[in-house]
Amino acid sequence: MRVNRFSRARRRTALGLAVAALAAGVTTGAGPATAQPKAAPTAAADCSAAYRIEQKLASGTTWRMCWRFESKAGIVLESISYQPRGESRPIKVLNSAKLAQIHVPYDDGLSEYNDLTRYNFGDGLMNMTAAECPGGTIKTVKVPNTSYYDGRPNIKGLCTTTRSRGHAYRFLNSDQDGKVYQAQGKDLLVYTVNKVDWYEYITEWRFQDDGTITMNVGATGSLSPWDYDAGDGRSWPIGKGSAAKADSHSHNVFWKLNFALDGSSKTKVEQYDSKVSAPAGQGAGPTARTTRTKVTKELAGDIKNMRWWRVVSTAGKNKDGHPRSYELVPGPTSKYAGRSFTKHDVYFTEYKKCEQYASENQPGCGAGAGSSVDKFVNGQTLTRPVVWMNIGFHHIARDEDQQPMPVHWQGFSIAPRDVTAMNPLTPAALAGQNGNWNSGS
């Protein structure tokens, strides 16, 4: 196997450059070398068959989207729509979804990397075999400047497949027919493997039949053999004795979501906070009150107990007359406070085409404009909100990380809130039980 041109040994000498301006480069948008066209559906995603992903799951839910390749971000998904059983047409969810940075600072302060922008993450796309895409299809992606396959730019690197996730619901209807209603959920998975030096990243997009979208990055591959020199408190001994101490480090992963609920990017953002108060009197229990704050200007937000956000449609409602929305559901995170752009968990910014990456953003947005997401937040009114999610993982190595390293995952979800009037997987026998259906008994 050819060693990546950006070896860790060479990268270590570039400290300071890794957090400086990018070297000039052109982002490519090439597509598959071999197309596998199929008949276009009535309401297809807005792209040719070669760039289209469409999957109808066993429950009747259909997901549609387009894809394209970028040299830095890798695979970008666009025009994402969701059509559950019972909806006459697709419901647009996102204009685009992409990785926006993988920031990797080491605890010893001697190494720090921005793997998307500095090392052209997309160019490290790996070939996959059928065993890595069980039951699915591997699409060929043209990667003109591939880091690992000189002269062979046609990479079999984009897997689309389906996978069971376990119970979607279970309900014993003891008050009526005594039946147990249960269903096993199905997901559409879209994923790639990108190699950046010793690490290999699995970028996974999971589209559930209930309308939830989960974004995960899994880090695997190998611990860097160049980073075994940290002192106590910044490392962990790997191997026999304590001679080899693997440097601890962080993986701060950013995603960028451009919503387009019901086809309009003019959405609203709302923040909800719940507060639990002590019992008011004898015999009473604690009370909880939830308040809504409309987020009308750009915001750098922080995860707190009983706090959540949603992006709300201004263009459509469900059959109950409620505005459609998607709730942000952060996964476990270790927030890294070492850089200004990693100090917050979520950023809501006004759409600007030039704002593409959470750090080392290029091209810039003009004189005086910031190059990281924290600088994008400058008080603008939100009319076309963009969501940037930051999920961190502090990797303290262990003996089990050799060899190869098991995958460690980090990510988040967006969950439908009032997108449909009922559970989109509701069985026909329960379809009439909407609202307070038992109020007359």
Side-chain angles (χ1 to χ4, degrees):
M1 179 183 296
R2 185 172 74 85
V3 177
N4 186 357
R5 65 188 180 203
F6 301 121
S7 69
R8 182 71 75 185
R10 291 176 60 190
R11 288 170 63 179
R12 180 176 277 281
T13 65
L15 180 66
L17 293 177
V19 292
L22 287 170
V26 177
T27 299
T28 62
T34 56
Q36 298 179 348
K38 61 180 180 180
T42 303
D46 188 20
C47 55
S48 66
Y51 297 88
R52 185 182 306 137
I53 298 171
E54 180 178 339
Q55 181 67 54
K56 186 173 184 178
L57 299 168
S59 62
T61 294
T62 299
W63 284 98
R64 298 180 178 93
M65 67 200 72
C66 301
W67 68 272
R68 62 181 175 86
F69 171 79
E70 286 186 1
S71 183
K72 293 179 174 62
I75 297 298
V76 180
L77 300 180
E78 298 181 320
S79 299
I80 300 170
S81 70
Y82 156 61
Q83 186 176 7
R85 186 184 62 224
E87 293 290 334
S88 60
R89 57 184 180 180
I91 300 167
K92 184 80 171 285
V93 180
L94 293 164
N95 270 333
S96 64
K98 62 183 282 187
L99 280 179
Q101 192 58 274
I102 299 177
H103 171 244
V104 187
Y106 277 68
D107 285 14
D108 61 4
L110 299 178
S111 305
E112 184 172 359
Y113 311 110
N114 289 290
D115 282 343
L116 264 67
T117 51
R118 188 67 180 173
Y119 299 105
N120 284 4
F121 174 88
D123 288 347
L125 185 68
M126 294 279 97
N127 278 310
M128 285 190 280
T129 65
E132 294 187 80
C133 186
T137 300
I138 301 177
K139 295 178 179 290
T140 300
V141 183
K142 187 175 182 181
V143 184
N145 299 307
T146 173
S147 298
Y148 292 91
Y149 304 102
D150 283 346
R152 293 167 289 163
N154 299 329
I155 310 300
K156 295 184 179 298
L158 176 59
C159 172
T160 62
T161 189
T162 59
R163 190 171 298 171
S164 297
R165 70 171 184 279
H167 276 87
Y169 61 77
R170 189 186 190 280
F171 171 48
L172 169 60
N173 193 11
S174 55
D175 290 340
Q176 292 184 317
D177 54 20
K179 289 180 61 176
V180 172
Y181 294 90
Q182 72 85 31
Q184 300 296 300
K186 266 290 202 193
D187 300 344
L188 163 66
L189 267 67
V190 179
Y191 57 90
T192 60
V193 178
N194 292 74
K195 185 173 177 63
V196 181
D197 204 25
W198 297 97
Y199 266 98
E200 299 190 21
Y201 295 102
I202 304 169
T203 305
E204 176 190 270
W205 307 87
R206 184 180 291 262
F207 301 90
Q208 296 184 190
D209 52 10
D210 64 1
T212 300
I213 305 174
T214 298
M215 303 115 213
N216 288 315
V217 165
T220 181
S222 178
L223 294 170
S224 166
W226 306 103
D227 292 292
Y228 278 85
D229 55 358
D232 290 340
R234 297 188 176 94
S235 63
W236 196 271
I238 301 296
K240 294 186 180 298
S242 59
K245 294 181 178 179
D247 288 11
S248 301
H249 53 280
S250 293
H251 297 260
N252 304 309
V253 181
F254 288 81
W255 290 260
K256 179 188 177 187
L257 302 182
N258 185 5
F259 277 85
L261 288 171
D262 294 299
S264 175
S265 57
K266 293 182 178 180
T267 55
K268 298 184 296 184
V269 176
E270 296 175 347
Q271 176 179 307
Y272 290 80
D273 291 275
S274 299
K275 181 179 179 181
V276 177
S277 299
Q282 187 174 3
T287 59
R289 183 177 181 84
T290 300
T291 58
R292 178 183 67 172
T293 303
K294 295 180 179 180
V295 180
T296 59
K297 294 186 180 297
E298 293 177 318
L299 171 71
D302 295 297
I303 297 169
K304 290 186 178 181
N305 184 46
M306 300 184 80
R307 167 177 288 176
W308 53 278
W309 299 270
R310 70 169 182 159
V311 179
V312 188
S313 173
T314 61
K317 297 180 179 180
N318 67 18
K319 293 175 183 177
D320 281 344
H322 301 145
R324 293 189 174 102
S325 71
Y326 263 82
E327 178 181 342
L328 306 184
V329 185
T333 185
S334 298
K335 186 156 48 180
Y336 177 81
R339 291 292 176 187
S340 61
F341 61 90
T342 59
K343 288 183 177 179
H344 299 284
D345 300 301
V346 62
Y347 299 85
F348 300 97
T349 65
E350 178 66 3
Y351 172 80
K352 285 186 179 179
K353 186 177 181 179
C354 59
E355 294 176 349
Q356 293 293 325
Y357 299 100
S359 62
E360 292 189 340
N361 186 62
Q362 191 187 36
C365 295
S371 62
S372 57
V373 67
D374 56 304
K375 303 300 191 300
F376 302 163
V377 178
N378 57 13
Q380 281 188 276
T381 298
L382 291 176
T383 60
R384 299 176 61 187
V386 174
V387 176
W388 308 73
M389 181 63 75
N390 169 27
I391 300 293
F393 176 79
H394 189 214
H395 187 187
I396 299 177
R398 54 183 181 153
D399 276 336
E400 288 85 353
D401 284 339
Q402 294 179 320
Q403 175 88 300
M405 181 168 53
V407 183
H408 53 81
W409 293 98
Q410 57 200 100
F412 73 106
S413 300
I414 59 172
R417 176 171 284 276
D418 306 338
V419 171
T420 52
M422 295 182 69
N423 182 344
L425 307 180
T426 295
L430 303 179
Q433 297 185 9
N434 186 23
N436 190 4
W437 58 274
N438 200 33
S439 59
S441 63

